[in-house]
């Protein structure tokens, strides 16, 4: 899926943000919001594992940087992506962001503290 990225593509990530998954919300092939357990008000409420950037975009924006320091916690992705794209330009992958193809995995128990008690997403995603 990443190989067909023209500019910046996005997809759901499983076992992240204290939820079973987080994902971009897509309508008519465009990202219109975020299904996330933490700060849905972020400009790009996407996990680091949930996007790809084409090399052409990186080369076209030589001053774009991913800050290890200087970003607020959880804002590194948004701070970086704001330099190179807009939400309207994002390319949804993984069947319009309805399939989890990427998971956060660790050698520790999964934290689902932000998982809603009842299913509140508009689609049913298997994780």
């Amino acid at each position: 899926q990443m190989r067909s990225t023209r500019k910046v593509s996005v997809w759901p990530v499983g076992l992240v943000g204290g939820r079973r998954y987080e994902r971009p919300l897509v309508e008519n092939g465009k990202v219109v919001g975020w299904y996330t357990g933490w700060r849905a008000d972020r400009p790009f409420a996407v996990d680091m594992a949930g996007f790809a950037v084409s090399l052409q975009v990186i080369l076209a924006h030589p001053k774009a940087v991913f800050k290890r320091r200087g970003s607020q916690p959880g804002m590194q992705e948004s701070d970086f992506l704001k330099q190179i794209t807009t939400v309207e330009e994002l390319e949804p992958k993984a069947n319009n962001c309805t399939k989890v193809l990427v998971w956060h995995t660790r050698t520790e128990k999964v934290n689902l503290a932000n998982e809603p008690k009842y299913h509140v997403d508009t689609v049913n995603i298997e994780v």
Side-chain angles (χ1 to χ4, degrees):
Q1 299 256 331
M2 285 185 220
R3 284 187 195 132
S4 64
T5 297
R6 292 184 313 276
K7 190 170 182 179
V8 179
S9 59
V10 291
W11 51 80
V13 177
L15 305 177
V16 65
R19 288 196 165 184
R20 292 184 314 124
Y21 63 89
E22 293 185 330
R23 73 182 188 96
L25 299 174
V26 178
E27 291 179 6
N28 299 318
K30 297 289 184 181
V31 174
V32 296
W34 311 97
Y35 180 79
T36 180
W38 187 77
R39 290 206 51 193
D41 64 325
R42 292 175 285 161
F44 295 87
V46 62
D47 182 79
M48 181 59 64
F51 70 92
V53 180
S54 74
L55 180 58
Q56 289 78 13
V57 170
I58 297 295
L59 294 174
H61 297 85
K63 295 185 184 224
V65 294
F66 185 85
K67 299 176 190 174
R68 289 192 64 213
R69 295 189 179 111
S71 287
Q72 294 177 12
M75 293 296 291
Q76 289 176 315
E77 297 89 344
S78 286
D79 288 348
F80 174 66
L81 290 170
K82 284 190 302 188
Q83 298 172 71
I84 61 172
T85 193
T86 65
V87 172
E88 296 78 23
E89 294 176 313
L90 294 175
E91 305 161 37
K93 300 293 184 185
N95 197 31
N96 273 326
C97 297
T98 62
K99 292 189 177 193
V100 174
L101 304 176
V102 176
W103 290 263
H104 268 263
T105 56
R106 297 182 179 183
T107 55
E108 61 189 43
K109 188 176 179 179
V110 173
N111 173 7
L112 296 178
N114 293 328
E115 184 67 19
K117 189 172 186 175
Y118 302 102
H119 184 78
V120 296
D121 196 0
T122 57
V123 299
N124 189 15
I125 295 181
E126 181 181 345
V127 180

